[in-house]
Amino acid sequence: MSEYTPIGLDNGTTPIRALTHSGNFHVDETLGYVILHYALAPQGDLRGRVLGDAPADRLTFTRTRSPERIREADIVFDVGGVYDPAHGRYDHHMKDKPLRDDGTPYSAAGLLWKDYGMAAIRNLLKVPQDDATLAAIWKALDRSLVLPIDQDDNGVVKMGKLSLADIVSACSAPWDTAELYGADEARARESLGFANAATAVAAHLVNMVDRVRASLKATGRVLEAYANAQDKRILLMETGMPTEKVIFEHDLPVVYVVSPVGADRWNVKAVPPVRGDFGQRVSLPEAWRGLDGSALAAVCGVPDAVFAHPARFICGAGSREGALKMARLALEIDERENGARPATA
């Protein structure tokens, strides 16, 4: 990701002093701290470093605007007025601020993600992954998490309510904390707020890394199942997993996805016409609508049929064979009523 070795990644034991500004905090410097934590000292106490009560570890973290402390720190982000990553400086508030290839200004989180994101991902994953998978996870998170933070922090596009930015802001103490409780208590509550924000952001990053890893794994499984399908309109998955994203990204003409949902249940789920939409490319038969058990079995002719949803987007059977038969019957009924549909894109 970089043409130099970022500070701290050349040696796994050298003590590193990281610093960002004190005062009001936002999602970019909060995520920046979390990235450095997982890249450099993931076994350390994320909250304790902020609150000053953590056992000593490789990474020291300080929030201050002191010019002297800024000069002394090894890594400085979101403060200092300098972007010089080879020397550990990651501010973005200058007139000539660092930009992405598309012209979007970087935030401090984006700059640190560029240099330390891969190391953080590697330390977060419980099962080692190859370099191509690590790069794919980095890219996916850069697009879905880090870029929106860059845009929000630079006033390009605001993240909405209940976004990660909003959650971080909600951790800040109210404006009149010093007025009500005094300056010392206000500083303590500010540190506690940052620690709470960092904890929330860390949990989000951990979950996102693992979900992206799983999503990449699912892509391979879905494409393999599609390649092996006799009727390309029916995607048979031997394990339950997300399929809709892959179907639309790869423009697969899948109509129904058949997959297990337990030891004795297989479902048939209709693919929507547009990703994330309600509705179906091909709805389940009208005659099945809202039926279950023996009533459904009598109508559809599948002995172990279990249910058919009233909205006609999902049905199920007690076996793999029963669910496959329901999917095939649904297509046959639709062809009789509406004419044949293409089995290929």
Side-chain angles (χ1 to χ4, degrees):
M1 297 297 172
S2 58
E3 298 176 354
Y4 47 86
T5 301
I7 289 174
L9 294 185
D10 57 337
N11 183 308
T13 59
T14 303
I16 301 296
R17 297 166 295 179
L19 180 149
T20 191
H21 60 81
S22 55
N24 290 338
F25 54 85
H26 306 97
V27 67
D28 76 317
E29 69 264 28
T30 307
L31 177 59
Y33 166 56
V34 170
I35 292 168
L36 291 176
H37 165 79
Y38 285 115
L40 300 175
Q43 303 306 317
D45 185 342
L46 179 82
R47 287 178 60 86
R49 282 198 211 96
V50 178
L51 299 175
D53 57 8
D57 66 55
R58 182 192 183 197
L59 180 62
T60 302
F61 177 62
T62 305
R63 296 178 64 244
T64 181
R65 294 183 184 273
S66 164
E68 181 179 356
R69 300 289 293 279
I70 290 173
R71 285 193 297 271
E72 293 172 349
D74 300 302
I75 300 173
V76 176
F77 57 99
D78 209 45
V79 70
V82 176
Y83 174 56
D84 183 4
H87 294 92
R89 268 44 190 169
Y90 293 91
D91 199 9
H92 69 106
H93 293 101
M94 307 78 70
K95 181 179 179 181
D96 296 324
K97 57 181 58 182
L99 304 175
R100 289 175 172 267
D101 291 341
D102 66 358
T104 302
Y106 277 105
S107 70
L111 295 173
L112 288 171
W113 183 251
K114 184 167 64 166
D115 278 6
Y116 292 93
M118 286 282 280
I121 292 168
R122 189 176 289 109
N123 288 334
L124 277 168
L125 291 170
K126 303 302 182 184
V127 178
Q129 304 290 325
D130 58 38
D131 288 345
T133 301
L134 290 173
I137 293 172
W138 183 95
K139 184 177 180 180
L141 289 173
D142 185 61
R143 180 177 62 251
S144 63
L145 173 65
V146 182
L147 174 59
I149 291 173
D150 287 348
Q151 293 171 328
D152 181 274
D153 196 69
N154 286 286
V156 178
V157 178
K158 187 173 181 59
M159 298 177 79
K161 286 295 181 182
L162 299 182
S163 66
L164 196 60
D166 201 43
I167 291 169
V168 167
S169 294
C171 292
S172 300
W175 68 268
D176 60 349
T177 301
E179 180 181 302
L180 293 175
Y181 306 107
D184 289 344
E185 179 64 17
R187 282 190 290 271
R189 293 192 181 201
E190 179 191 307
S191 294
L192 179 61
F194 190 94
N196 290 339
T199 301
V201 170
H204 187 67
L205 180 63
V206 169
N207 291 338
M208 285 196 71
V209 166
D210 207 36
R211 288 179 69 85
V212 171
R213 173 205 56 77
S215 177
L216 293 170
K217 182 178 180 180
T219 298
R221 295 271 184 95
V222 171
L223 293 178
E224 181 181 7
Y226 177 75
N228 294 331
Q230 293 181 341
D231 186 335
K232 301 302 185 185
R233 298 170 297 176
I234 300 175
L235 181 69
L236 173 62
M237 302 301 302
E238 301 292 347
T239 304
M241 66 186 66
T243 58
E244 189 174 303
K245 176 175 181 285
V246 186
I247 288 169
F248 283 95
E249 287 184 349
H250 293 266
D251 196 25
L252 306 182
V254 175
V255 172
Y256 297 130
V257 177
V258 177
S259 62
V261 289
D264 56 356
R265 169 77 71 78
W266 285 68
N267 280 352
V268 180
K269 187 173 182 181
V271 176
V274 177
R275 183 181 174 188
D277 197 6
F278 294 109
Q280 305 87 39
R281 287 178 172 176
V282 178
S283 299
L284 293 168
E286 171 67 29
W288 300 3
R289 180 199 291 268
L291 298 180
D292 57 26
S294 59
L296 176 60
V299 170
C300 73
V302 177
D304 64 348
V306 175
F307 80 102
H309 196 280
R312 301 171 62 195
F313 75 96
I314 191 169
C315 65
S319 66
R320 176 179 182 274
E321 293 71 23
L324 273 172
K325 186 174 181 180
M326 291 182 82
R328 291 169 182 148
L329 285 170
L331 286 175
E332 291 174 8
I333 292 169
D334 179 70
E335 288 175 1
R336 286 200 303 269
E337 295 179 350
N338 301 298
R341 298 173 188 259
T344 57

